[in-house]
Amino acid sequence: MTNGFLISLEGPDGAGKTTVLKQVIPKLRDVVGKEIVPTREPGGVAIAEAIRQVILDVNHTAMDAKTELLLYIAARRQHLIEKIVPNLEQDAIVIVDRFIDSSVAYQGYGRGLAVADIAWLNDYATDHRQPDLTIYLDVTSELGLERIATNADREINRLDLEKLDMHQRVRQGYLSLLEQAPHRISLIDASQSIDKVVEEVVALIIKRYQETKHV
């Protein structure tokens, strides 16, 4: 069993996860006396980043839903064993931009694949590892897509091009996961100002970390 603390940051497209994570890291470092390792899925290590390019390529519109899922799972496994676990073993706080819940929300609720199959694949790929804390940044699909459309700096990927109903199903998937695992997943309203969202994320992480580690 590893000694570190694993946090996953989840949310539908346009929730602002990447922006929030960048601003959260320095604030956490000022408070928590541990190394903080930010990373992302799919990606984080060379093999997983190569898989990411295949998954998100806007030209790969013919990709089957099961192919998409299996690519995510493969990237997750490599990322876990090469980066997440080694850092946790060094007692670091690892914060992942997307993790196991994304597959359930996107390929399960969004694509219509069997959630039970995805849960099994997640367990297989992670050796049943779950985050110590999952922060779900909630935003309506309409607002999320509006943010994507007006953010000139954001790289548009294949999933961003999906229709509104796909994004709505993904959000409902996240809300269902929240109901099923309220002990692990905490919701933060991502329609608030970025400063407010960052403030709430930092406070939540510190509180849960201190409770878990008895700091």
Side-chain angles (χ1 to χ4, degrees):
M1 193 68 181
T2 54
N3 298 316
F5 194 73
L6 177 59
I7 302 166
S8 61
L9 194 60
E10 296 279 0
D13 291 287
K17 294 180 292 73
T18 305
T19 302
V20 168
L21 181 56
K22 287 179 180 177
Q23 295 193 26
V24 161
I25 298 302
K27 295 180 182 297
L28 278 179
R29 285 185 174 137
D30 290 341
V31 178
V32 182
K34 297 287 182 182
E35 182 180 2
I36 300 171
V37 179
T39 187
R40 69 174 181 175
E41 280 203 354
V45 296
I47 293 173
E49 288 289 343
I51 296 173
R52 179 188 181 92
Q53 294 301 315
V54 174
I55 296 173
L56 300 181
D57 190 324
V58 294
N59 296 310
H60 293 169
T61 56
M63 187 178 294
D64 177 75
K66 289 185 179 180
T67 301
E68 180 181 87
L69 169 63
L70 292 169
L71 287 170
Y72 274 115
I73 294 296
R76 178 163 301 137
R77 175 62 184 177
Q78 189 65 32
H79 183 217
L80 181 87
I81 63 169
E82 192 175 339
K83 186 168 188 177
I84 294 178
V85 169
N87 278 287
L88 291 175
E89 288 175 342
Q90 295 300 313
D91 203 26
I93 297 175
V94 179
I95 308 179
V96 187
D97 183 343
R98 297 201 182 283
F99 195 47
I100 54 175
D101 298 304
S102 283
S103 293
V104 177
Y106 279 84
Q107 284 73 53
Y109 288 86
R111 300 293 192 202
L113 299 182
V115 169
D117 291 345
I118 297 170
W120 185 90
L121 285 167
N122 271 331
D123 286 343
Y124 181 70
T126 64
D127 299 319
H128 298 270
R129 177 90 203 193
Q130 290 202 340
D132 297 292
L133 168 65
T134 295
I135 300 174
Y136 168 57
L137 301 181
D138 184 50
V139 68
T140 65
S141 303
E142 292 83 358
L143 179 56
L145 291 176
E146 179 183 327
R147 286 177 172 178
I148 291 170
T150 57
N151 185 353
D153 297 328
R154 190 184 194 278
E155 179 185 3
I156 302 299
N157 63 55
R158 187 171 58 85
L159 296 178
D160 294 333
L161 303 179
E162 294 288 344
K163 294 181 180 179
L164 177 61
D165 61 339
M166 164 70 174
H167 291 277
Q168 290 173 330
R169 291 194 301 272
V170 168
R171 181 175 180 238
Q172 287 306 310
Y174 275 122
L175 294 174
S176 295
L177 286 166
L178 176 65
E179 291 181 1
Q180 296 166 30
H183 60 288
R184 175 173 66 83
I185 305 174
S186 295
L187 181 149
I188 288 179
D189 180 3
S191 67
Q192 304 176 97
S193 69
I194 184 65
D195 290 344
K196 182 64 174 174
V197 173
V198 169
E199 177 187 333
E200 291 188 7
V201 169
V202 171
L204 177 59
I205 291 174
I206 292 172
K207 179 176 183 293
R208 187 67 62 86
Y209 179 77
Q210 291 176 341
E211 289 174 348
T212 304
K213 295 297 183 179
H214 306 289
V215 175

mmCIF file of all heavy atoms in Angstrom, residues 2-30:
data_model
loop_
_atom_site.group_PDB
_atom_site.id
_atom_site.type_symbol
_atom_site.label_atom_id
_atom_site.label_comp_id
_atom_site.label_asym_id
_atom_site.label_seq_id
_atom_site.Cartn_x
_atom_site.Cartn_y
_atom_site.Cartn_z
ATOM 1 N N THR A 2 0.564 2.207 -0.860
ATOM 2 C CA THR A 2 1.362 3.426 -0.960
ATOM 3 C C THR A 2 1.002 4.414 0.142
ATOM 4 O O THR A 2 -0.062 4.352 0.738
ATOM 5 C CB THR A 2 1.146 4.082 -2.330
ATOM 6 O OG1 THR A 2 -0.254 4.273 -2.541
ATOM 7 C CG2 THR A 2 1.684 3.196 -3.447
ATOM 8 N N ASN A 3 1.907 5.354 0.393
ATOM 9 C CA ASN A 3 1.732 6.291 1.494
ATOM 10 C C ASN A 3 1.229 7.654 1.073
ATOM 11 O O ASN A 3 0.848 8.459 1.917
ATOM 12 C CB ASN A 3 3.074 6.478 2.227
ATOM 13 C CG ASN A 3 3.569 5.184 2.838
ATOM 14 O OD1 ASN A 3 2.795 4.450 3.436
ATOM 15 N ND2 ASN A 3 4.851 4.902 2.680
ATOM 16 N N GLY A 4 1.271 7.958 -0.219
ATOM 17 C CA GLY A 4 0.899 9.288 -0.676
ATOM 18 C C GLY A 4 -0.591 9.537 -0.664
ATOM 19 O O GLY A 4 -1.372 8.787 -0.077
ATOM 20 N N PHE A 5 -0.984 10.609 -1.341
ATOM 21 C CA PHE A 5 -2.395 11.031 -1.372
ATOM 22 C C PHE A 5 -2.753 11.314 -2.823
ATOM 23 O O PHE A 5 -2.141 12.174 -3.460
ATOM 24 C CB PHE A 5 -2.562 12.283 -0.514
ATOM 25 C CG PHE A 5 -3.996 12.615 -0.198
ATOM 26 C CD1 PHE A 5 -4.718 11.863 0.717
ATOM 27 C CD2 PHE A 5 -4.627 13.702 -0.803
ATOM 28 C CE1 PHE A 5 -6.039 12.184 1.030
ATOM 29 C CE2 PHE A 5 -5.934 14.024 -0.505
ATOM 30 C CZ PHE A 5 -6.642 13.255 0.414
ATOM 31 N N LEU A 6 -3.732 10.579 -3.342
ATOM 32 C CA LEU A 6 -4.108 10.689 -4.749
ATOM 33 C C LEU A 6 -5.418 11.450 -4.895
ATOM 34 O O LEU A 6 -6.441 11.066 -4.319
ATOM 35 C CB LEU A 6 -4.249 9.294 -5.367
ATOM 36 C CG LEU A 6 -4.703 9.238 -6.829
ATOM 37 C CD1 LEU A 6 -3.743 9.992 -7.743
ATOM 38 C CD2 LEU A 6 -4.855 7.787 -7.280
ATOM 39 N N ILE A 7 -5.365 12.521 -5.680
ATOM 40 C CA ILE A 7 -6.541 13.354 -5.949
ATOM 41 C C ILE A 7 -6.825 13.331 -7.437
ATOM 42 O O ILE A 7 -5.908 13.475 -8.250
ATOM 43 C CB ILE A 7 -6.290 14.810 -5.512
ATOM 44 C CG1 ILE A 7 -5.941 14.885 -4.026
ATOM 45 C CG2 ILE A 7 -7.506 15.691 -5.827
ATOM 46 C CD1 ILE A 7 -5.369 16.231 -3.617
ATOM 47 N N SER A 8 -8.079 13.139 -7.807
ATOM 48 C CA SER A 8 -8.456 13.280 -9.214
ATOM 49 C C SER A 8 -9.360 14.495 -9.361
ATOM 50 O O SER A 8 -10.200 14.772 -8.501
ATOM 51 C CB SER A 8 -9.164 12.026 -9.741
ATOM 52 O OG SER A 8 -10.356 11.760 -9.047
ATOM 53 N N LEU A 9 -9.152 15.216 -10.440
ATOM 54 C CA LEU A 9 -9.945 16.403 -10.756
ATOM 55 C C LEU A 9 -10.782 16.068 -11.981
ATOM 56 O O LEU A 9 -10.241 15.778 -13.046
ATOM 57 C CB LEU A 9 -9.020 17.588 -11.021
ATOM 58 C CG LEU A 9 -9.624 18.996 -11.045
ATOM 59 C CD1 LEU A 9 -10.272 19.327 -9.699
ATOM 60 C CD2 LEU A 9 -8.558 20.017 -11.390
ATOM 61 N N GLU A 10 -12.103 16.087 -11.821
ATOM 62 C CA GLU A 10 -13.001 15.658 -12.889
ATOM 63 C C GLU A 10 -13.964 16.784 -13.265
ATOM 64 O O GLU A 10 -14.157 17.737 -12.503
ATOM 65 C CB GLU A 10 -13.813 14.434 -12.448
ATOM 66 C CG GLU A 10 -12.987 13.195 -12.163
ATOM 67 C CD GLU A 10 -12.606 12.439 -13.416
ATOM 68 O OE1 GLU A 10 -12.977 12.875 -14.526
ATOM 69 O OE2 GLU A 10 -11.927 11.401 -13.299
ATOM 70 N N GLY A 11 -14.582 16.622 -14.430
ATOM 71 C CA GLY A 11 -15.587 17.588 -14.856
ATOM 72 C C GLY A 11 -15.841 17.478 -16.337
ATOM 73 O O GLY A 11 -14.996 16.959 -17.085
ATOM 74 N N PRO A 12 -16.982 17.944 -16.787
ATOM 75 C CA PRO A 12 -17.273 17.941 -18.224
ATOM 76 C C PRO A 12 -16.386 18.944 -18.948
ATOM 77 O O PRO A 12 -15.728 19.786 -18.323
ATOM 78 C CB PRO A 12 -18.748 18.337 -18.284
ATOM 79 C CG PRO A 12 -18.990 19.108 -17.025
ATOM 80 C CD PRO A 12 -18.087 18.514 -15.998
ATOM 81 N N ASP A 13 -16.354 18.851 -20.269
ATOM 82 C CA ASP A 13 -15.550 19.781 -21.058
ATOM 83 C C ASP A 13 -16.004 21.217 -20.808
ATOM 84 O O ASP A 13 -17.197 21.506 -20.781
ATOM 85 C CB ASP A 13 -15.676 19.437 -22.543
ATOM 86 C CG ASP A 13 -15.007 18.125 -22.875
ATOM 87 O OD1 ASP A 13 -13.773 18.081 -22.887
ATOM 88 O OD2 ASP A 13 -15.724 17.128 -23.092
ATOM 89 N N GLY A 14 -15.032 22.104 -20.596
ATOM 90 C CA GLY A 14 -15.348 23.497 -20.328
ATOM 91 C C GLY A 14 -15.502 23.826 -18.858
ATOM 92 O O GLY A 14 -15.806 24.967 -18.502
ATOM 93 N N ALA A 15 -15.271 22.834 -17.990
ATOM 94 C CA ALA A 15 -15.405 23.085 -16.543
ATOM 95 C C ALA A 15 -14.235 23.886 -15.989
ATOM 96 O O ALA A 15 -14.322 24.441 -14.892
ATOM 97 C CB ALA A 15 -15.546 21.765 -15.793
ATOM 98 N N GLY A 16 -13.127 23.910 -16.714
ATOM 99 C CA GLY A 16 -11.974 24.703 -16.275
ATOM 100 C C GLY A 16 -10.971 23.929 -15.446
ATOM 101 O O GLY A 16 -10.174 24.533 -14.717
ATOM 102 N N LYS A 17 -10.946 22.609 -15.568
ATOM 103 C CA LYS A 17 -10.063 21.794 -14.746
ATOM 104 C C LYS A 17 -8.595 22.190 -14.867
ATOM 105 O O LYS A 17 -7.899 22.332 -13.855
ATOM 106 C CB LYS A 17 -10.200 20.313 -15.122
ATOM 107 C CG LYS A 17 -11.532 19.679 -14.823
ATOM 108 C CD LYS A 17 -11.554 18.236 -15.223
ATOM 109 C CE LYS A 17 -11.486 18.018 -16.710
ATOM 110 N NZ LYS A 17 -10.206 18.264 -17.381
ATOM 111 N N THR A 18 -8.120 22.312 -16.089
ATOM 112 C CA THR A 18 -6.704 22.595 -16.314
ATOM 113 C C THR A 18 -6.310 23.944 -15.730
ATOM 114 O O THR A 18 -5.261 24.078 -15.083
ATOM 115 C CB THR A 18 -6.388 22.552 -17.819
ATOM 116 O OG1 THR A 18 -6.797 21.283 -18.349
ATOM 117 C CG2 THR A 18 -4.904 22.750 -18.062
ATOM 118 N N THR A 19 -7.152 24.943 -15.921
ATOM 119 C CA THR A 19 -6.891 26.275 -15.371
ATOM 120 C C THR A 19 -6.883 26.247 -13.852
ATOM 121 O O THR A 19 -5.998 26.824 -13.203
ATOM 122 C CB THR A 19 -7.956 27.273 -15.860
ATOM 123 O OG1 THR A 19 -7.954 27.309 -17.284
ATOM 124 C CG2 THR A 19 -7.680 28.670 -15.317
ATOM 125 N N VAL A 20 -7.860 25.553 -13.276
ATOM 126 C CA VAL A 20 -7.947 25.443 -11.820
ATOM 127 C C VAL A 20 -6.712 24.749 -11.258
ATOM 128 O O VAL A 20 -6.116 25.204 -10.275
ATOM 129 C CB VAL A 20 -9.232 24.691 -11.410
ATOM 130 C CG1 VAL A 20 -9.201 24.320 -9.928
ATOM 131 C CG2 VAL A 20 -10.463 25.530 -11.719
ATOM 132 N N LEU A 21 -6.322 23.661 -11.898
ATOM 133 C CA LEU A 21 -5.177 22.898 -11.400
ATOM 134 C C LEU A 21 -3.906 23.755 -11.378
ATOM 135 O O LEU A 21 -3.143 23.732 -10.402
ATOM 136 C CB LEU A 21 -4.967 21.660 -12.273
ATOM 137 C CG LEU A 21 -3.818 20.727 -11.880
ATOM 138 C CD1 LEU A 21 -3.960 20.268 -10.436
ATOM 139 C CD2 LEU A 21 -3.752 19.533 -12.823
ATOM 140 N N LYS A 22 -3.680 24.524 -12.418
ATOM 141 C CA LYS A 22 -2.488 25.372 -12.479
ATOM 142 C C LYS A 22 -2.446 26.374 -11.330
ATOM 143 O O LYS A 22 -1.369 26.671 -10.794
ATOM 144 C CB LYS A 22 -2.449 26.119 -13.816
ATOM 145 C CG LYS A 22 -2.088 25.242 -15.005
ATOM 146 C CD LYS A 22 -2.098 26.053 -16.296
ATOM 147 C CE LYS A 22 -1.746 25.182 -17.500
ATOM 148 N NZ LYS A 22 -1.812 25.944 -18.777
ATOM 149 N N GLN A 23 -3.616 26.888 -10.945
ATOM 150 C CA GLN A 23 -3.651 27.895 -9.888
ATOM 151 C C GLN A 23 -3.668 27.280 -8.494
ATOM 152 O O GLN A 23 -3.250 27.920 -7.515
ATOM 153 C CB GLN A 23 -4.868 28.800 -10.086
ATOM 154 C CG GLN A 23 -4.810 29.622 -11.367
ATOM 155 C CD GLN A 23 -5.839 30.730 -11.410
ATOM 156 O OE1 GLN A 23 -6.286 31.233 -10.382
ATOM 157 N NE2 GLN A 23 -6.231 31.124 -12.614
ATOM 158 N N VAL A 24 -4.132 26.044 -8.400
ATOM 159 C CA VAL A 24 -4.216 25.368 -7.108
ATOM 160 C C VAL A 24 -2.831 24.949 -6.609
ATOM 161 O O VAL A 24 -2.537 25.060 -5.416
ATOM 162 C CB VAL A 24 -5.147 24.138 -7.210
ATOM 163 C CG1 VAL A 24 -4.898 23.162 -6.054
ATOM 164 C CG2 VAL A 24 -6.608 24.582 -7.212
ATOM 165 N N ILE A 25 -1.978 24.495 -7.516
ATOM 166 C CA ILE A 25 -0.685 23.921 -7.127
ATOM 167 C C ILE A 25 0.153 24.856 -6.254
ATOM 168 O O ILE A 25 0.578 24.477 -5.155
ATOM 169 C CB ILE A 25 0.118 23.477 -8.367
ATOM 170 C CG1 ILE A 25 -0.621 22.379 -9.127
ATOM 171 C CG2 ILE A 25 1.506 22.994 -7.956
ATOM 172 C CD1 ILE A 25 -0.923 21.149 -8.335
ATOM 173 N N PRO A 26 0.427 26.094 -6.683
ATOM 174 C CA PRO A 26 1.267 26.961 -5.837
ATOM 175 C C PRO A 26 0.628 27.289 -4.493
ATOM 176 O O PRO A 26 1.327 27.451 -3.491
ATOM 177 C CB PRO A 26 1.453 28.223 -6.692
ATOM 178 C CG PRO A 26 0.350 28.196 -7.694
ATOM 179 C CD PRO A 26 0.079 26.757 -7.957
ATOM 180 N N LYS A 27 -0.695 27.398 -4.456
ATOM 181 C CA LYS A 27 -1.378 27.682 -3.191
ATOM 182 C C LYS A 27 -1.260 26.516 -2.230
ATOM 183 O O LYS A 27 -1.085 26.698 -1.015
ATOM 184 C CB LYS A 27 -2.846 28.026 -3.453
ATOM 185 C CG LYS A 27 -3.046 29.316 -4.243
ATOM 186 C CD LYS A 27 -4.507 29.603 -4.484
ATOM 187 C CE LYS A 27 -4.710 30.857 -5.316
ATOM 188 N NZ LYS A 27 -4.203 32.078 -4.640
ATOM 189 N N LEU A 28 -1.338 25.295 -2.745
ATOM 190 C CA LEU A 28 -1.195 24.117 -1.899
ATOM 191 C C LEU A 28 0.228 23.995 -1.371
ATOM 192 O O LEU A 28 0.449 23.634 -0.215
ATOM 193 C CB LEU A 28 -1.549 22.858 -2.687
ATOM 194 C CG LEU A 28 -3.026 22.491 -2.817
ATOM 195 C CD1 LEU A 28 -3.168 21.229 -3.651
ATOM 196 C CD2 LEU A 28 -3.678 22.301 -1.455
ATOM 197 N N ARG A 29 1.187 24.298 -2.220
ATOM 198 C CA ARG A 29 2.587 24.172 -1.813
ATOM 199 C C ARG A 29 2.916 25.110 -0.659
ATOM 200 O O ARG A 29 3.827 24.842 0.132
ATOM 201 C CB ARG A 29 3.504 24.452 -3.008
ATOM 202 C CG ARG A 29 3.535 23.286 -4.009
ATOM 203 C CD ARG A 29 4.523 23.510 -5.121
ATOM 204 N NE ARG A 29 4.626 22.330 -5.968
ATOM 205 C CZ ARG A 29 4.671 22.337 -7.288
ATOM 206 N NH1 ARG A 29 4.625 23.498 -7.936
ATOM 207 N NH2 ARG A 29 4.764 21.224 -7.979
ATOM 208 N N ASP A 30 2.182 26.207 -0.559
ATOM 209 C CA ASP A 30 2.414 27.157 0.527
ATOM 210 C C ASP A 30 1.905 26.625 1.866
ATOM 211 O O ASP A 30 2.309 27.110 2.921
ATOM 212 C CB ASP A 30 1.718 28.493 0.229
ATOM 213 C CG ASP A 30 2.393 29.258 -0.908
ATOM 214 O OD1 ASP A 30 3.572 28.956 -1.204
ATOM 215 O OD2 ASP A 30 1.740 30.136 -1.500
#
